Amino acid sequence: MGLYLKKKLDNDAEIGVWQITETEEELKELSSTPTDEMEEISFIRSESLRKQRLAVRALLNTMFDDKVYLSHHDNGKPYIENNPINISITHTAKYVAVILHEEENVGIDIESLDRDFSVVEKKALSEDEIEDLEDEKRNEQLAIYWCAKEAIFKLLSRYNVDFAEQIEVERFRPRGEGELEATFSYKDEEEEFDLEYITFDRHVLVWVVGE
């Protein structure tokens, strides 16, 4: 299918989502991946992961007028070598997504709702967040919690963040789309974030833009 979603947000961020339905060869043709990066991708053993990397490149081609060169900092945070724009990337076996912003830091995360997120409850949620869980949509709610915390983690680009202790997501009820409020705590300081999320095709996508 290729490009699934592309839209400009009210805060001037731009989001793109690509649905991976192509073969690896088709993605190679669509992606215009630079030779050095193509060589790096060729060493990835998993075909699914290779396709995800190529789909990211194909998506970037639809979001930029000029050819861009994607790289990563030592901490894994992506950046465009020939463009100062802020970028965050996420992918599953079926979708890849990107968020861009000219000035603010950004974070984005996507997960398949077919995954079991029960481990997230013990690993990443505070006692208050666990108390807010509902049995009816428990797995979806856990997925949204995880994506929200991952998106903030990517935006912050910090090492050793404790998701349960340092990132607190305010109580919410899962819907097809919505807004979330969260707080990141570090020593005696707190930083507040407003996030948005959508669910589609058994996936949840959450993004955040810094201020």
Side-chain angles (χ1 to χ4, degrees):
M1 178 176 179
L3 187 63
Y4 182 87
L5 170 70
K6 183 180 177 182
K7 71 172 184 175
K8 195 89 168 181
L9 306 178
D10 291 341
N11 54 20
D12 293 327
E14 186 175 11
I15 285 179
V17 180
W18 186 281
Q19 184 179 12
I20 305 172
T21 57
E22 302 82 3
T23 66
E24 188 171 348
E25 290 304 315
E26 287 171 335
L27 284 170
K28 285 179 182 178
E29 293 180 9
L30 291 167
S31 65
S32 302
T33 307
T35 304
D36 56 344
E37 189 178 343
M38 192 66 248
E39 184 177 355
E40 180 185 329
I41 291 172
S42 70
F43 286 111
I44 299 174
R45 292 186 178 183
S46 166
E47 180 186 1
S48 177
L49 290 178
R50 292 196 304 270
K51 289 172 69 173
Q52 290 171 43
R53 287 282 298 273
L54 291 168
V56 168
R57 292 294 329 195
L59 177 56
L60 291 177
N61 282 350
T62 71
M63 301 183 77
F64 289 90
D65 294 329
D66 300 321
K67 189 171 184 177
V68 294
Y69 295 87
L70 179 65
S71 191
H72 295 80
H73 294 290
D74 291 341
N75 62 1
K77 185 174 182 176
Y79 69 96
I80 304 296
E81 292 181 9
N82 57 326
N83 192 313
I85 198 166
N86 293 297
I87 181 172
S88 183
I89 299 170
T90 184
H91 41 77
T92 65
K94 194 171 180 180
Y95 290 94
V96 299
V98 167
I99 184 170
L100 307 169
H101 198 287
E102 293 283 355
E103 298 175 357
E104 305 293 347
N105 286 323
V106 289
I108 195 167
D109 197 58
I110 189 170
E111 293 287 352
S112 169
L113 291 174
D114 291 329
R115 280 186 55 188
D116 179 3
F117 286 92
S118 56
V119 68
V120 170
E121 184 174 337
K122 298 177 181 178
K123 173 178 166 182
L125 266 60
S126 67
E127 291 183 5
D128 288 342
E129 290 168 335
I130 292 173
E131 288 179 3
D132 289 339
L133 291 171
E134 296 180 342
D135 290 334
E136 184 180 352
K137 291 188 175 182
R138 195 179 195 87
N139 199 62
E140 181 178 345
Q141 199 169 5
L142 286 169
I144 295 172
Y145 268 123
W146 178 254
C147 285
K149 295 192 179 201
E150 270 288 326
I152 290 172
F153 174 70
K154 290 178 179 180
L155 179 149
L156 293 169
S157 190
R158 290 174 180 259
Y159 291 102
N160 302 320
V161 174
D162 187 320
F163 279 25
E165 295 292 331
Q166 292 181 272
I167 304 176
E168 183 84 12
V169 180
E170 295 298 319
R171 185 174 184 175
F172 68 95
R173 292 292 170 260
R175 303 192 301 272
E177 59 182 295
E179 298 177 352
L180 303 167
E181 295 180 357
T183 304
F184 172 71
S185 301
Y186 180 71
K187 295 184 178 179
D188 295 329
E189 299 179 1
E190 288 190 349
E191 190 171 356
E192 296 181 350
F193 294 100
D194 295 319
L195 306 92
E196 295 181 70
Y197 73 91
I198 57 173
T199 57
F200 60 94
D201 190 24
R202 299 288 301 157
H203 283 70
V204 58
L205 178 70
V206 181
W207 63 87
V208 60
V209 179
E211 295 181 359

